Amino acid sequence: MIKILKSLLVLNVILFFNCKKEDISKQIKPNILFILVDDLGYHDLGVTGSVFYETPNIDRLANEGVMFTNGYAASRVCSPSRASIMTGKFTARHGITDWIGAKAGEEWRTRNRHDKLLPADYVRELPKTDITIAEAFKQNGYKTFFAGKWHLGGKSSYPEDHGFDINIGGIEAGSPRGGFFSPWNNPKLKNRKDGENLTMRLAQETVEFIKQNKDSTFFAFLSFYAVHAPIQTTERKWRKYRNKADSLGIMPSGYKMERILPIRQVQDNPIYGGLVETVDDAVGVVLKALKDNGVDENTIVVFTSDNGGVASGDNYSTSNLPLRGGKGYQWEGGIKEPYFIKVPWLKQEGVKTEFPVISTDFYPTLLDLANVPLLPEQHIDGISLKPLLKGEYLKVKRPLYWHYPHYGNQGGDPASIIQENTWKLIHYWEDGHEELYKLPSTEIDELNVISNYPEIAQKMSKKLMNWLNEVGAKYPEKDLEYNINKAEKRHFDIINKKWPSLEKNRLEVLSEDFQPNRNWWKSKLTLD
């Protein structure tokens, strides 16, 4: 009898403290740390399957929270995806459907791509009519901070114009002007010391903000310029990953031909490996600061990317296999992302969920977790993931939509997508044909099952078109000056000139005596 009473007493104590912890989380508004990495692919982390890149800090963060294994970016390129995080709206609804600065309409012809369509026009800055996630938190007493890549408009549409009290480095640029080592050319980020690393500097600025605001409540948005091109690293990190690639075995060929451009097939770029590791180092610095300042137990941490890893175009940096494609592509490699949320008091370490989630869900989820009133008319395309984070069942079933009426730089096609349950339908705007995949799928052409399930495809296609018309989506138009001979000549040159050049460059970067320039992209303070 005494043993039973003791057991009941222990149980009551445990329940009391668990309830107390939950009560505390309801009474005290938590801090938010949102970490966004640019162009990071789903498989660019150890925790998501890479055996080449080393990311112990991010892996630990993922394992301490909930990993959404079907997490998606709202777009296959940066600006639209970022706008969706800020507004809680899908891209066709807020209107930023391409990266800001991309040519559209007849201006597209100046790219000499000789494509069949002229890309649709798009909104060029974050609409001021929207209440951003930063404004929502600011209106509820939060100190708001932004550091890093913005790319959502120029002057009058910087972070400080959309709810952020502090802006460090956020301008109209989509890549780091001047590179990843100081001196850089950024009016919102002063140069302090030649050779300083941009990624670490942004982390240090975030740490300083945390120190200064540890006794208040904050919403900090750390938006790395990495791992966007131009990819750069130090000689030491390059050599580490060059030797690792050698030990794993350097394949004689690293590319194959996708529909338009060659695409990387192996993760063995030592420059990119060093750049990814630096991001991980920086994340470790910021997470340590949370603990050192005593706010780690009351700070929600989000980690994600804005689009798939760059396997084609730009620096052809990584491979997203077994996912097809990458940044700019309509397949899973272009939109599936690392998507981690750590809520310390919910104690969901190591939990994985397959429920499909997307960038627009962050807005209502974070408001809900912070006990801040939701704004359903604003974050109309997002849902709160709080039940999933608490280990509960989420009954919501909803379609996900993507709209990209552009070509981009990486080889993807103008297309719109609807994903519902485990079905994914892609509508191509060049000729109107469609593909249907049963997820999970590598989406190779042979796995397009549209001929087997015509009724499902027809139903999904109708729903997609109705939704696009409902939100006022813009569409590409036929280019009446399209010249098939010029298009075929370009394709011939890609296969016979571009592809061999990429293979040659890959092996040069992996050679023992590789040196990009005398000072390794300014990372060396003195020349040897």
Side-chain angles (χ1 to χ4, degrees), residues 421-441:
N421 299 320
T422 56
W423 293 104
K424 176 180 177 181
L425 181 130
I426 306 174
H427 178 90
Y428 290 85
W429 292 106
E430 277 195 352
D431 57 9
H433 87 274
E434 295 177 333
E435 296 170 353
L436 181 69
Y437 298 102
K438 179 76 169 174
L439 299 176
S441 172

Side-chain angles (χ1 to χ4, degrees), residues 389-453:
L389 293 165
K390 293 174 67 177
E392 299 170 358
Y393 180 70
L394 190 57
K395 296 181 181 179
V396 176
K397 290 185 178 180
R398 41 91 190 253
L400 302 179
Y401 296 101
W402 291 264
H403 182 57
Y404 191 72
H406 314 282
Y407 284 99
N409 302 326
Q410 296 82 24
D413 299 291
S416 297
I417 303 168
I418 178 174
Q419 183 173 317
E420 193 167 20
N421 299 320
T422 56
W423 293 104
K424 176 180 177 181
L425 181 130
I426 306 174
H427 178 90
Y428 290 85
W429 292 106
E430 277 195 352
D431 57 9
H433 87 274
E434 295 177 333
E435 296 170 353
L436 181 69
Y437 298 102
K438 179 76 169 174
L439 299 176
S441 172
T442 55
E443 297 178 291
I444 58 174
D445 294 337
E446 291 77 9
L447 294 180
N448 175 15
V449 296
I450 194 165
S451 61
N452 297 334
Y453 300 94

